[in-house]
Amino acid sequence: MLARVSTFTIDGLEPRHVTVEIDVRLGLPAFTIVGLADRAVRESRDRVHAAILNSGFEFPQKRVTVNMAPAWLRKTGPGFDLAIACAILAVGGHVPAEALERYAVFGELGLGGEIRACRGALAVAEGAACAGIAGLIVPRERALEAALVDGLDVVGASSLRQVTEILRGEEVAPAPEPQAAVVPAPARQPDLVDVRGHANVIETLTIAAAGGHNLLMSGPPGVGKTMLARRLPSILPPLSKTEALEVTRIHSIAGVHRGLGLVGERPFRAPHHLISASALVGGGSVPAPGEASLAHHGVLFLDELSEFPRPALEALRQPLEDGRVAIVRGQRTAIFPTRFMLVGATNPCPCGHAPAPRCRCNENDLARHARRLSGPLLDRIDLVVHVQRPSAEHLAQPPATRSEAVRERVLAARRRQVHRFDGTAALCNAHMDAQLLRRHVDLDEDADIPLVDVYRRGELSARGRDRTLRVARTIADLAGEQRVLREHVVAALGYRHEAADVVGAAA
Ligand SMILES: Nc1ncnc2c1ncn2[C@@H]1O[C@H](COP(=O)(O)OP(=O)(O)OP(=O)(O)O)[C@@H](O)[C@H]1O
Ligand SMILES: [Mg+2]
């Protein structure tokens, strides 16, 4: 006897349709799984066996063969348990085979027959809708997430027995309401109001947030660099629905999605500096997204930037440039999106007090520090700002800037960009390619003179020139100017000049 059930596996970030076929025939009792299954899938046998018995059904005392098609596709994870169990129960006549044609099923089983939440429900729901399947049965905790996909009858179930009742038409759980799924923002995010002084750094943070630019803060210990970076989310624009869906899908697949439905806030990822290159950009024998992808549409904050291992920093080049990273394993390539804002914080030298005479570093220390920060990575950072010690007067002053006011300015500048980039792949000024730059950076007559000067002196790469223009566009947007004026270009160049100083201070 034969039964078929639709389910999905996640390949990188893509859902792939898998048909679980079961053949049950007379012979010595055996239970085999074929079809390029990984260890977690092969372990399904024991879970499914126990779950079926503990749910009050009989396990066929026959030769049971499970095939997962297509056989060339690598199947990973425990999400196939429910499909395999349903197929076995269909062969045993406990659920009608026609009902199983209407649904795809996805979930991990516990030994007692309970259904456990597993990763990637949103991607699976998208896959089911694309494959034209009418309904999807998922673990109850993941139902709100799966229900974000339109046109799919999503049913959340908590036990195998409940699934059989649903398939027999005995109990139909009400469809979850996707609106209720949006996780409310936490009551209080860290606010810029806590910061004393640093008006220039807050202005730089504003430009970074307004245009989505990469930012590096350099300064002595204890002046508020980490504090400022952690307040960046409070001035960022909210996620659009499309962005929120992309973030939810990635976080769900990576298993870091703690909420129930749509992710409501821009990601802010701050990995420790001992992170490996593959944990940062993605990798593993089964490619999984790294911190760079978890920060997609949000912020990747590298605190103590100069302490990160060089291979990890080098690995960031492609994601920073292309907004995605390609991980090749065997003959397959997984593509992970990585459109994040890079925010780095560093001391100007290992002792933290450069330049001389306060600096106590020896030449080797300085050279190592300069090597870590120099070159290609710095060239991809648009804004570099020195964070000075706030003066005693500043520390004594009452709070000057609230995040809400800054956020208003950021939102106004972003609105101009949404209008500008309508119908293109860009979402903010930092995403402009050469063609968009030509079209949208409308330089005033004398505005490019300072740029040509600096370029002629060899202080700017061609990439650096384009990046300067993008920042100038954002400064003009914040000022409400249609054209990019000379003062905007000069200000943008100022932020890059400082880039040379960060390395220069240590070199
Ligand atoms: N400008 C400031 N306004 C108010 N509090 C500040 C300011 N600067 C520092 N502090 C206080 O000092 C603490 C340490 O600051 P923070 O961790 O941001 O320093 P840092 O520049 O990141 O130092 P390091 O280079 O050692 O990492 C903050 O949590 C805050 O309490
Ligand atoms: Mg710090």
Side-chain angles (χ1 to χ4, degrees):
M1 281 169 75
L2 192 72
R4 282 197 182 83
V5 180
S6 281
T7 186
F8 287 82
T9 189
I10 312 277
D11 180 18
L13 294 179
E14 297 303 319
R16 306 264 181 229
H17 192 179
V18 172
T19 306
V20 173
E21 298 173 329
I22 300 252
D23 180 67
V24 177
R25 58 184 61 233
L26 287 176
L28 279 179
F31 186 9
T32 27
I33 296 183
V34 295
L36 215 61
D38 80 349
R39 222 174 107 194
V41 180
R42 288 198 302 273
E43 285 172 356
S44 270
R45 282 182 311 188
D46 299 328
R47 287 192 298 270
V48 168
H49 192 232
I52 288 183
L53 292 178
N54 288 328
S55 301
F57 301 106
E58 275 183 8
F59 195 90
Q61 290 301 312
K62 294 179 183 165
R63 200 181 151 76
V64 178
T65 311
V66 177
N67 178 37
M68 316 246 252
W72 56 265
L73 182 67
R74 189 165 174 182
K75 328 290 183 307
T76 56
F80 298 98
D81 294 1
L82 192 56
I84 296 172
C86 285
I88 293 174
L89 292 177
V91 170
H94 300 292
V95 296
E98 321 78 71
L100 271 175
E101 282 168 19
R102 245 180 64 72
Y103 286 102
V105 291
F106 178 70
E108 176 185 337
L109 283 173
L111 297 184
E114 68 279 10
I115 300 178
R116 299 223 168 101
C118 44
R119 301 172 178 195
L122 175 58
V124 167
E126 286 170 340
C130 261
I133 299 170
L136 173 68
I137 300 177
V138 287
R140 186 176 287 291
E141 296 92 322
R142 293 286 146 219
L144 285 169
E145 182 185 320
L148 293 166
V149 175
D150 293 331
L152 192 67
D153 173 17
V154 173
V155 184
S158 48
S159 69
L160 182 59
R161 178 154 277 282
Q162 193 192 9
V163 171
T164 61
E165 287 161 1
I166 291 166
L167 289 170
R168 286 201 301 263
E170 289 169 10
E171 181 193 341
V172 179
E177 279 294 320
Q179 292 90 310
V182 180
V183 182
R188 177 164 144 73
Q189 269 180 331
D191 194 293
L192 286 174
V193 77
D194 307 326
V195 178
R196 301 286 182 276
H198 293 324
N200 65 325
V201 189
I202 293 178
E203 184 58 24
T204 318
L205 275 181
T206 312
I207 299 171
H213 303 288
N214 301 327
L215 164 76
L216 175 63
M217 288 181 279
S218 164
V223 294
K225 300 181 296 296
T226 304
M227 186 184 188
L228 283 154
R230 294 210 171 267
R231 279 151 182 78
L232 184 58
S234 68
I235 59 168
L236 286 174
L239 284 168
S240 71
K241 176 81 189 285
T242 324
E243 288 172 335
L245 280 170
E246 279 179 41
V247 173
T248 308
R249 168 201 257 244
I250 298 170
H251 285 210
S252 166
I253 289 172
V256 297
H257 183 26
R258 297 274 166 260
L260 292 177
L262 204 58
V263 169
E265 290 183 330
R266 287 195 185 269
F268 182 90
R269 306 289 305 180
H272 189 266
H273 61 251
L274 291 177
I275 192 170
S276 67
S278 65
L280 190 58
V281 299
S285 56
V286 178
E291 289 291 332
S293 293
L294 295 174
H296 184 54
H297 291 314
V299 177
L300 179 65
F301 175 43
L302 303 186
D303 205 359
E304 314 298 350
L305 186 68
S306 59
E307 298 302 320
F308 278 73
R310 179 128 195 174
L313 294 182
E314 293 288 325
L316 275 178
R317 287 198 209 182
Q318 188 204 10
L320 274 173
E321 204 62 31
D322 302 342
R324 55 184 213 146
V325 64
I327 309 285
V328 182
R329 287 288 175 275
Q331 296 180 348
R332 302 195 60 73
T333 304
I335 305 282
F336 297 121
T338 56
R339 263 188 172 177
F340 56 82
M341 259 175 84
L342 177 68
V343 176
T346 182
N347 295 138
C349 67
C351 83
H353 297 287
R358 294 194 65 212
C359 176
R360 296 181 305 276
C361 301
N362 63 33
E363 276 183 16
N364 282 346
D365 295 340
L366 291 175
R368 186 181 62 88
H369 187 81
R371 262 200 314 277
R372 286 268 168 89
L373 286 183
S374 66
L377 184 71
L378 216 54
D379 207 27
R380 288 166 170 83
I381 290 180
D382 309 319
L383 302 161
V384 180
V385 63
H386 280 290
V387 186
Q388 316 279 6
R389 274 181 76 215
S391 65
E393 291 74 36
H394 276 140
L395 284 183
Q397 270 169 13
T401 319
R402 289 186 177 277
S403 291
E404 201 186 328
V406 177
R407 193 163 188 253
E408 282 307 313
R409 290 183 63 211
V410 169
L411 288 179
R414 284 275 180 141
R415 275 195 291 276
R416 290 171 158 264
Q417 295 167 54
V418 169
H419 180 66
R420 175 178 305 145
F421 300 130
D422 191 26
T424 74
L427 298 171
C428 53
N429 289 336
H431 299 162
M432 279 192 281
D433 58 14
Q435 200 188 1
L436 287 174
L437 262 179
R438 268 199 305 279
R439 194 176 324 147
H440 296 296
V441 181
D442 182 12
L443 285 176
D444 209 32
E445 291 95 53
D446 59 349
D448 71 338
I449 297 175
L451 206 56
V452 173
D453 265 5
V454 178
Y455 190 78
R456 285 228 174 96
R457 290 207 300 271
E459 289 170 16
L460 202 62
S461 66
R463 185 197 293 124
R465 183 183 177 281
D466 285 356
R467 287 193 169 265
T468 307
L469 286 175
R470 292 184 192 117
V471 173
R473 177 66 273 172
T474 302
I475 297 174
D477 283 338
L478 280 166
E481 291 283 353
Q482 198 66 34
R483 304 198 77 189
V484 177
L485 309 180
R486 186 182 175 129
E487 66 196 73
H488 305 142
V489 173
V490 170
L493 273 172
Y495 290 114
R496 293 203 70 84
H497 276 175
E498 297 194 23
D501 291 345
V502 171
V503 182

